[in-house]
């Protein structure tokens, strides 16, 4: 299957996004009957912990999915040691945690 370039542009004809052409084992495009947009404030989404999976069309709020954080072996070992230190401090102080 071959699919041509889809271009999204603003009211002045300035190109906002181009999907590019595709061929091979690709899915057909969905017919677009309406386009809308939402502007989010800078920093409104922490992209280190979440991703935007969609927009609620009724409220125009982003639908967020929490990212699964993958720790490197070194980071995992540091976390384990920090946890051990916290448990030791808790035991020595008589239970603050």
């Amino acid at each position: 299957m071959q699919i041509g370039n889809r271009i999204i542009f603003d009211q002045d004809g300035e190109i906002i996004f181009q999907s590019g052409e595709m061929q091979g084992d690709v899915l057909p495009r969905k017919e677009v009957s309406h386009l809308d947009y939402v502007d989010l404030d800078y920093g409104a989404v922490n992209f280190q912990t979440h991703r935007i999976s969609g927009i609620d069309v009724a409220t125009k709020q982003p639908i967020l999915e929490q990212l699964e954080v993958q720790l490197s072996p070194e980071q995992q070992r540091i976390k384990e040691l920090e946890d051990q230190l916290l448990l030791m401090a808790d035991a020595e102080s008589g239970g603050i945690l």
Side-chain angles (χ1 to χ4, degrees):
M1 174 184 280
Q2 293 180 331
I3 296 178
N5 192 6
R6 177 172 280 175
I7 300 172
I8 298 175
F9 57 94
D10 68 9
Q11 65 279 358
D12 299 321
E14 185 176 334
I15 294 173
I16 305 293
F17 174 78
Q18 291 188 58
S19 67
E21 294 181 337
M22 298 172 270
Q23 69 177 355
D25 188 20
V26 295
L27 298 173
R29 282 206 182 109
K30 178 180 174 183
E31 183 70 28
V32 177
S33 62
H34 176 77
L35 287 176
D36 206 348
Y37 72 94
V38 61
D39 289 326
L40 300 177
D41 291 335
Y42 182 84
V45 176
N46 182 347
F47 290 103
Q48 293 181 353
T49 59
H50 292 83
R51 75 175 191 93
I52 299 174
S53 63
I55 301 292
D56 183 322
V57 293
T59 65
K60 290 192 174 185
Q61 294 299 311
I63 300 169
L64 302 177
E65 285 184 16
Q66 189 165 355
L67 296 174
E68 188 175 318
V69 179
Q70 299 290 330
L71 298 178
S72 69
E74 294 83 14
Q75 292 171 319
Q76 183 62 37
R77 182 66 180 140
I78 290 171
K79 182 175 179 347
E80 290 169 1
L81 291 172
E82 288 173 341
D83 290 346
Q84 287 177 4
L85 285 173
L86 284 172
L87 291 173
M88 287 172 44
D90 183 54
E92 288 179 7
S93 66
I96 59 171
L97 296 178

